[in-house]
Amino acid sequence: YGDLISERVSNTDGASTAFTTFGAVASTRNLITSVTVHNAHATTNGYVDLRDGTAGSVLWTFPLPATGGATHNFNPPLRQPTANTALAFDVSAAITTVYISVNGFQSKA
């Protein structure tokens, strides 16, 4: 279980941002087991993309209804396609405030 990692971030600017713990490691890929997103804004709807790097391809899109969210468990884990690339998130717009929690691990496979 030593390879399990998780991270929780908040975002208000809608900018594509790399996760810290799911960073770029030589010859290693990020694998995601679960994601929870929450939109705390009372009226603004949106979505969150998981990306292969901050400018990379979209791996998965999560809905972000106003004052709502989503949880998804990946079984098997969602495998980031590119090794040595940080996992990133991109909120569809500047929404105050979006919370994103990710659980997974890194693997050389």
Side-chain angles (χ1 to χ4, degrees):
Y1 297 118
D3 294 336
L4 293 177
I5 52 178
S6 62
E7 186 168 350
R8 186 248 191 210
V9 297
S10 62
N11 182 272
T12 58
D13 65 7
S16 186
T17 307
F19 287 100
T20 303
T21 57
F22 292 89
V25 178
S27 302
T28 302
R29 295 178 195 272
N30 293 304
L31 288 97
I32 309 309
T33 56
S34 63
V35 176
T36 298
V37 296
H38 174 66
N39 178 355
H41 197 274
T43 59
T44 302
N45 296 309
Y47 60 88
V48 173
D49 288 334
L50 278 188
R51 290 186 168 270
D52 187 29
T54 55
S57 61
V58 174
L59 306 176
W60 207 272
T61 300
F62 297 91
L64 271 181
T67 66
T71 296
H72 189 81
N73 297 308
F74 293 98
N75 186 15
L78 177 64
R79 182 176 181 257
Q80 189 172 346
T82 309
N84 196 25
T85 302
L87 181 70
F89 64 90
D90 190 1
V91 180
S92 59
I95 300 172
T96 305
T97 298
V98 173
Y99 300 95
I100 306 161
S101 299
V102 180
N103 192 55
F105 58 96
Q106 293 180 319
S107 175
K108 296 209 181 272

